[in-house]
Amino acid sequence: MVWERCGRQAQGDGYLVVLEPGTDETRVVPRLLDGLAHGLAEANDGTPGAAGGPVGEDSAHPRPIRMRASLHQGIVHEADSGYAGSAVVDLFRVLDSGPVRRALDAFPDTHLVVAFSDSLHRDLVGAGYAGLPAGGFTRAEIEVAAKNFTGVAWIRAVHHAPPPPTSPSRSE
């Protein structure tokens, strides 16, 4: 994935990334999730409350950065107001849903919770691609009555794994 060729759009306090056509999701999605989890863990390293410690309301004890992410696939097009299409609408309906918000609350030891659309979960996780283990996903019925939206998402906390230790170099 070449970052400069991805579509990007600020969405309030969020960010929409549209992968370029032809991207190999089987390679990009695991790396993206690992990178996000690593970046959040690194940003929160040493932050009071980041590992479940006490968090104050003042700036001396900032809250750790925690994030919900939603991944979906489908047709997207550029419009006057930015990226549009039913895939974009569905993505944000899932991202802002109660089940995804509650999942972030339910995993206070993680900085990232991700929701895959049903079709993306079936295509990537269900097919058993490397880096996308089926374990840890929970199926959730998503309903946003005010928007007449129903769907299925697969939600999982993404835990940051520390990099493997490096072998000491040998000098002769």
Side-chain angles (χ1 to χ4, degrees), residues 95-117:
L95 180 66
D96 292 332
S97 70
V100 177
R101 289 179 178 277
R102 286 189 297 274
L104 190 60
D105 291 339
F107 294 99
D109 62 329
T110 190
H111 307 296
L112 175 63
V113 167
V114 64
F116 280 43
S117 67

Side-chain angles (χ1 to χ4, degrees), residues 92-168:
F92 283 106
R93 297 281 190 262
V94 169
L95 180 66
D96 292 332
S97 70
V100 177
R101 289 179 178 277
R102 286 189 297 274
L104 190 60
D105 291 339
F107 294 99
D109 62 329
T110 190
H111 307 296
L112 175 63
V113 167
V114 64
F116 280 43
S117 67
D118 194 40
S119 62
L120 187 65
H121 182 271
R122 189 173 45 251
D123 288 352
L124 293 182
V125 179
Y129 285 103
L132 294 166
F137 280 95
T138 302
R139 186 180 190 278
E141 297 285 336
I142 308 294
E143 182 176 350
V144 184
K147 302 289 184 176
N148 197 29
F149 175 83
T150 59
V152 172
W154 292 85
I155 304 169
R156 166 170 92 93
V158 180
H159 299 283
H160 169 65
T166 57
S167 301

Side-chain angles (χ1 to χ4, degrees), residues 14-45:
Y15 204 72
L16 173 67
V17 176
V18 178
L19 302 178
E20 67 178 314
T23 297
D24 181 357
E25 293 92 347
T26 65
R27 292 181 44 172
V28 170
V29 169
R31 288 179 178 175
L32 177 64
L33 295 178
D34 288 345
L36 281 171
H38 175 78
L40 288 166
E42 192 172 87
N44 289 324
D45 188 33

